[in-house]
Amino acid sequence: MTSTNDPQGGAPTTPRGTLRRPADLARTIDVSGLVDTEGGLLDRVIFTDQELYRQELRRVFAPSWLFLAHTDQFHKPGDFFTTYMGEDPVIVTLDRDRRIRAYLNSCRHRGARVCRADVGTTRNFTCTYHGWSYNLDGSLVSVPNQDGYPDSFRTEDWGLVEVPHVQTYRGLVFGTWNPDPVPLREQLGDMAWYLDAMLDHDEHGTVVVGGVHKWVLEGNWKLAAEQFATDWYHVNMSHASALMVLSPSGKTPKAEVVHRTGRQYSDANGNGAGFPVHPKNRFDAQTVHKWTDYEALRERLGDARVEGPLANGHATVFPNFSYLPVNGSIRVWHPKGPDRMEVWSWTIVNTSMPEEVREAQRLYNLRTFGPSGIFEQDDGENWSEVQAISHGFVTNNVALNYQMGMDSEREDGRHPGTTSELYSDAAGRAFYGRWRELMNTPAWHEEHEK
């Protein structure tokens, strides 16, 4: 963008009708020394520093594919769901051509949200501040007192800002602000094989039951995303009481439950999944287990998936979408500053599930990983504890250890991609390696600003 000189010899001025943001407002920090993937060390300042957090929004969230919704939330034109991409509010809706689209939920006049409902159906989106109204295709269709604007004002120039790319994968809707992204399926790579173990049980896919549950946790979003990518290690200690509750009365969990063996997948895009491997892996909810035809799933998905990631385990699609196959839980970790996150959680089930089986899975999810779930409470407490002490000067300067499973990564010949042991930090190292890469790489919007 060019500027002109003040005729009186003063500082350069910006031409009328344009804006130019000073480069100093987008200062960048080289994070190379904060993540050592080869040595398995991490500087915990990445969880606490405000400038690093602002850089994350620009360089991690703005260019990445981010989870938005499930296709089952949109059945007729005008159905909408409001969510976030990073901290940017967005509307996801089905337009009149039955195409899922997403828009920045901010009026082009004074910036208020044009949709303040969480979910619903509408014919248009109207800002309650001054009444600017937008169609389902994002176009500006009504401006009160439009005669008061100059002749140069054109409604076609002031539509909602659209998320340029929205793509779906087996019912999951993702979007990215990047105008020229790697396609979603290519970005997933081998991770799609692990996702399919949860999403591809039958040709009719999955549906949402029970709406969306939301709660706030004190802790950095990466703590949650990392754990779901890499951490089976915490289960026996953090969830000991929950495991006893789920065991027969008066008995501790069986040794084969406590000492599980399995694999952990990781890739260069920061995706990760861990899962026990056992010929008799099964769903925990009795009703779901009894209904499930494991032999049919073996024919459809193969032995490796049924004995591994089909029923149990944990996973994260970088940066902040995670899921748990055992109870049909999918969730997104919305960042709300370096010290806080919002958890949004859905329960999804196979479309072919009878109503009583769907309800059993929904209730099991709520009891285990819902807002007051017996496992969820343990996890939230851990993340909050880590965050609460990380602002101390000495504490913040003590490195964290991510060395478990180092040099165990390999192609195992049974599971796609690179895998490690079940008890490993391999996917955590890959997660932060991808974070480091994006944090040190100018994003699409910075390239355009040059």
Side-chain angles (χ1 to χ4, degrees), residues 54-166:
R54 299 300 303 176
Q55 189 167 319
E56 280 182 340
L57 296 181
R58 300 195 311 271
R59 288 193 169 181
V60 175
F61 286 94
S64 295
W65 284 103
L66 304 176
F67 177 75
L68 301 179
H70 191 285
T71 54
D72 188 44
Q73 295 176 266
F74 312 96
H75 293 279
K76 57 184 180 295
D79 285 355
F80 69 84
F81 175 68
T82 56
T83 183
Y84 291 89
M85 297 175 69
E87 286 208 37
D88 291 310
V90 294
I91 306 166
V92 189
T93 190
L94 193 67
D95 72 11
R96 289 181 174 84
D97 294 325
R98 305 193 67 83
R99 173 187 169 197
I100 296 179
R101 304 172 74 165
Y103 307 99
L104 188 67
N105 191 3
S106 177
C107 183
R108 296 295 303 279
H109 179 234
R110 288 294 186 271
R113 284 178 293 174
V114 300
C115 182
R116 301 193 184 190
D118 294 336
V119 63
T121 305
T122 188
R123 293 182 177 180
N124 52 50
F125 301 101
T126 300
C127 179
T128 57
Y129 194 177
H130 294 94
W132 281 32
S133 185
Y134 303 85
N135 211 335
L136 297 180
D137 63 5
S139 59
L140 178 61
V141 293
S142 178
V143 177
N145 303 319
Q146 187 172 339
D147 291 344
Y149 288 84
D151 293 339
S152 60
F153 178 83
R154 305 191 315 156
T155 55
E156 54 264 40
D157 295 334
W158 294 96
L160 293 175
V161 176
E162 184 167 9
V163 178
H165 294 279
V166 174

Side-chain angles (χ1 to χ4, degrees), residues 66-326:
L66 304 176
F67 177 75
L68 301 179
H70 191 285
T71 54
D72 188 44
Q73 295 176 266
F74 312 96
H75 293 279
K76 57 184 180 295
D79 285 355
F80 69 84
F81 175 68
T82 56
T83 183
Y84 291 89
M85 297 175 69
E87 286 208 37
D88 291 310
V90 294
I91 306 166
V92 189
T93 190
L94 193 67
D95 72 11
R96 289 181 174 84
D97 294 325
R98 305 193 67 83
R99 173 187 169 197
I100 296 179
R101 304 172 74 165
Y103 307 99
L104 188 67
N105 191 3
S106 177
C107 183
R108 296 295 303 279
H109 179 234
R110 288 294 186 271
R113 284 178 293 174
V114 300
C115 182
R116 301 193 184 190
D118 294 336
V119 63
T121 305
T122 188
R123 293 182 177 180
N124 52 50
F125 301 101
T126 300
C127 179
T128 57
Y129 194 177
H130 294 94
W132 281 32
S133 185
Y134 303 85
N135 211 335
L136 297 180
D137 63 5
S139 59
L140 178 61
V141 293
S142 178
V143 177
N145 303 319
Q146 187 172 339
D147 291 344
Y149 288 84
D151 293 339
S152 60
F153 178 83
R154 305 191 315 156
T155 55
E156 54 264 40
D157 295 334
W158 294 96
L160 293 175
V161 176
E162 184 167 9
V163 178
H165 294 279
V166 174
Q167 295 181 13
T168 63
Y169 184 78
R170 299 202 185 280
L172 306 180
V173 183
F174 289 81
T176 178
W177 293 110
N178 189 344
D180 187 25
V182 173
L184 174 62
R185 178 61 184 83
E186 182 178 338
Q187 186 72 19
L188 289 173
D190 287 328
M191 184 67 189
W193 186 89
Y194 299 91
L195 271 167
D196 288 355
M198 179 179 182
L199 301 174
D200 189 27
H201 292 188
D202 64 56
E203 61 181 351
H204 301 295
T206 59
V207 294
V208 175
V209 294
V212 183
H213 294 268
K214 306 174 183 180
W215 62 97
V216 176
L217 290 177
E218 301 300 317
N220 188 275
W221 68 273
K222 294 188 292 298
L223 294 169
E226 163 217 309
Q227 176 175 303
F228 272 63
T230 198
D231 193 350
W232 190 272
Y233 186 38
H234 78 286
V235 172
N236 296 330
M237 174 60 73
S238 293
H239 299 315
S241 59
L243 291 173
M244 291 194 68
V245 167
L246 295 178
S247 298
S249 180
K251 296 182 180 180
T252 58
K254 295 180 180 179
E256 57 266 32
V257 174
V258 174
H259 304 292
R260 304 297 292 269
T261 58
R263 304 300 295 164
Q264 184 178 123
Y265 165 81
S266 61
D267 65 34
N269 290 329
N271 305 312
F275 47 92
V277 173
H278 192 279
K280 294 185 178 180
N281 263 352
R282 44 161 288 177
F283 291 97
D284 286 355
Q286 279 293 320
T287 303
V288 177
H289 166 63
K290 290 178 180 178
W291 174 82
T292 300
D293 186 342
Y294 294 99
E295 287 308 310
L297 289 173
R298 284 179 181 273
E299 291 183 12
R300 183 177 183 87
L301 298 172
D303 291 346
R305 276 188 279 208
V306 175
E307 295 174 6
L310 171 84
N312 238 315
H314 51 84
T316 291
V317 175
F318 186 91
N320 65 329
F321 171 74
S322 299
Y323 64 93
L324 297 167
V326 70

